[in-house]
Structures are given as C-alpha cells and as structure tokens.
C-alpha cells in the first residue's frame, strides 16, 4: 500500500510531507513549546511523594485540619487544567500552520 491518501480531489504523500522544512519547523516549534510544561509537570508530580515520604514539610496544617499535602495535591489538578488550557489555545495556532503546510504540499 502506498503512503498516499485521498483528500478531496488531491492526494498527499506523507513521506514527502514529513521531509519538508515547513513540517520539520512545526515539529521543532511544538517540541520547544511543550518541553518546559512536560518538565515542570514531572518535577511537580514526583516532588509530592518525595516531600511526603522523606520530609515533614507538608505535614503542617494549612487550612484548619487540612495539611499542605492536600493543598499541594489539589494544586496538581489546577496545574493540569491550566496546562491543558494553554496547550489547547496554542494548538489552534499549530492547526492553522498544519493546514497551510498541507495546502502547500498537496500533490495535484
């Protein structure tokens, strides 16, 4: 089977598409955008069990009987929602770029 797929009246060669400078640039920009978020997420995710397992820092009360462990854990949910919102907004711009790349590289 070939790597060409019908899209409307045109066909697209995906192997050729991924070799274009436009596509490579898009992938590079997406990685550059996402990498700090991934690093921050994993750092925050793995710090929680380290702090709770090996220190007593988060055991002090924050709000009433609720400790800082719970505040930290709930903040993880907020972080994920914020990161998701940021990525969804940026993905709209990436989608526009993808459409332009596809239009430019469609074989007629």
């Amino acid at each position: 089977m070939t790597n060409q797929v019908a899209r409307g009246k045109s066909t697209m060669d995906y192997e050729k598409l991924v070799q274009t400078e436009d596509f490579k640039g898009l992938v590079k920009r997406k990685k550059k955008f996402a990498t700090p978020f991934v690093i921050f997420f994993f750092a925050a995710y793995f710090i929680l069990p380290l702090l709770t397992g090996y220190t007593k820092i988060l055991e002090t009360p924050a709000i009433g009987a609720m400790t800082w462990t719970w505040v930290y854990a709930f903040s993880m949910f907020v972080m994920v929602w914020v990161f998701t919102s940021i990525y969804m907004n940026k993905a709209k711009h990436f989608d526009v770029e993808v459409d332009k790349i596809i239009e430019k590289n469609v074989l007629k």
Side-chain angles (χ1 to χ4, degrees), residues 43-59:
Y45 181 81
F46 286 114
I47 286 173
L48 177 61
L50 291 174
L51 289 176
T52 58
Y54 299 105
T55 69
K56 296 191 181 294
I57 293 172
L58 298 178
E59 291 180 11

Side-chain angles (χ1 to χ4, degrees), residues 57-77:
I57 293 172
L58 298 178
E59 291 180 11
T60 58
I63 303 168
M66 184 169 42
T67 64
W68 284 105
T69 304
W70 287 102
V71 174
Y72 191 105
F74 288 130
S75 72
M76 297 293 287
F77 288 99

Side-chain angles (χ1 to χ4, degrees), residues 83-98:
F83 284 2
T84 301
S85 296
I86 292 169
Y87 183 79
M88 288 175 60
N89 287 330
K90 185 68 173 179
K92 291 175 188 175
H93 300 288
F94 290 140
D95 289 345
V96 170
E97 287 186 58
V98 167

Side-chain angles (χ1 to χ4, degrees), residues 6-93:
R7 184 177 172 114
K9 293 182 180 180
S10 303
T11 59
M12 193 175 346
D13 185 352
Y14 287 105
E15 284 186 18
K16 182 179 176 185
L17 183 66
V18 299
Q19 298 303 321
T20 63
E21 290 303 315
D22 292 334
F23 183 82
K24 289 177 182 178
L26 174 64
V27 171
K28 192 174 191 177
R29 286 189 299 280
K30 284 179 74 172
K31 284 181 182 179
K32 185 178 178 181
F33 172 76
T35 299
F37 291 100
V38 171
I39 292 169
F40 185 84
F41 171 80
F42 279 112
Y45 181 81
F46 286 114
I47 286 173
L48 177 61
L50 291 174
L51 289 176
T52 58
Y54 299 105
T55 69
K56 296 191 181 294
I57 293 172
L58 298 178
E59 291 180 11
T60 58
I63 303 168
M66 184 169 42
T67 64
W68 284 105
T69 304
W70 287 102
V71 174
Y72 191 105
F74 288 130
S75 72
M76 297 293 287
F77 288 99
V78 174
M79 178 187 66
V80 170
W81 289 328
V82 169
F83 284 2
T84 301
S85 296
I86 292 169
Y87 183 79
M88 288 175 60
N89 287 330
K90 185 68 173 179
K92 291 175 188 175
H93 300 288

